[in-house]
Amino acid sequence: MAELLTERQPAFATGGGGLPPSISDEINDGGTGLPPGTERRVYHTGMWLALIAISMFFIAFTSAYIVRSGLGDDWQALSLPPLLWLNTLVLLASSATLDATRRALLGGQRVACNRWLMATVILGAAFLFGQYRVWQDLAAAGVFLITNPSSSFFYLLTASHALHLLGGLAALGYISIEALRFRLGPAKRTLVEVTAIYWHFMDGLWIYIMLLLWLWR
């Protein structure tokens, strides 16, 4: 028995007093037993596939918008409410704070990470509230979903974007809870990375929608 113990000891030696490489890899990969990095690649691939699907949805929306604007004489140009530009700045600021969150997480700066993360959640919620105020202002001015084809597309495009952004805000809310429970360490950087990709994409998509509504009226 003593010989067996003596022979097995080197097999568990890690050189730094930590776990054996195989066990450490399993923990880093969520204990799934998959090769290191597999889970991260799966999350990234899934996110990019989702973004492709969202892109196709809005490309189809754009085609319908352009074609419908050239049909008939009932198309009336819609003046964009000034509040939309302020909302755009708020959304762009949220992307900047989320990127600061990611960098603080990678740098192990937990307090700064939590602050930037909360700032991102607040800015995201402020954008959605601002969009709600835009719809309220349009309704007060007598511009509704069925008022005109251009107003219909405006409501549908902005509401579709808001719904997709709400999904991103829900993800940020989950990350915030994990951060407040001190469970958002560098090991969970994939969650933040994937959410950041989605959020930045929503930013770019919003700029695209604004240019479409502004230049193609």
Side-chain angles (χ1 to χ4, degrees), residues 6-191:
T6 303
E7 291 177 355
R8 288 176 181 175
Q9 282 175 354
F12 288 89
T14 61
L19 294 170
S22 59
I23 298 177
S24 178
D25 290 344
E26 287 183 3
I27 291 175
N28 291 336
D29 211 37
T32 59
L34 298 172
T38 300
E39 192 173 10
R40 183 172 181 270
R41 288 193 294 274
V42 168
Y43 277 114
H44 277 260
T45 302
M47 176 54 66
W48 285 113
L49 289 176
L51 296 184
I52 290 173
I54 294 172
S55 299
M56 293 178 67
F57 172 77
F58 279 93
I59 288 174
F61 234 136
T62 301
S63 300
Y65 177 85
I66 293 175
V67 171
R68 183 61 184 85
S69 66
L71 296 177
D73 298 326
D74 57 346
W75 185 274
Q76 298 178 5
L78 178 66
S79 297
L80 298 182
L83 184 56
L84 281 177
W85 300 107
L86 178 61
N87 290 345
T88 302
L89 293 178
V90 171
L91 191 59
L92 291 176
S94 71
S95 259
T97 55
L98 184 55
D99 198 55
T101 300
R102 186 184 59 80
R103 285 187 276 107
L105 178 64
L106 293 178
Q109 302 169 355
R110 177 166 294 182
V111 176
C113 173
N114 289 358
R115 287 177 179 172
W116 287 121
L117 186 57
M118 291 306 299
T120 305
V121 172
I122 292 172
L123 288 170
F127 173 82
L128 291 178
F129 180 73
Q131 292 297 90
Y132 173 71
R133 289 299 305 271
V134 166
W135 298 327
Q136 274 193 323
D137 292 343
L138 286 176
V143 180
F144 300 96
L145 178 66
I146 59 174
T147 299
N148 185 272
S150 61
S151 67
S152 300
F153 274 99
F154 176 87
Y155 276 104
L156 291 175
L157 279 168
T158 55
S160 297
H161 177 268
L163 284 175
H164 284 89
L165 193 78
L166 188 61
L169 191 61
L172 287 176
Y174 171 75
I175 294 174
S176 300
I177 293 173
E178 291 292 288
L180 292 175
R181 297 171 67 183
F182 299 103
R183 294 172 57 179
L184 190 64
K188 287 193 174 181
R189 65 182 185 278
T190 301
L191 179 62

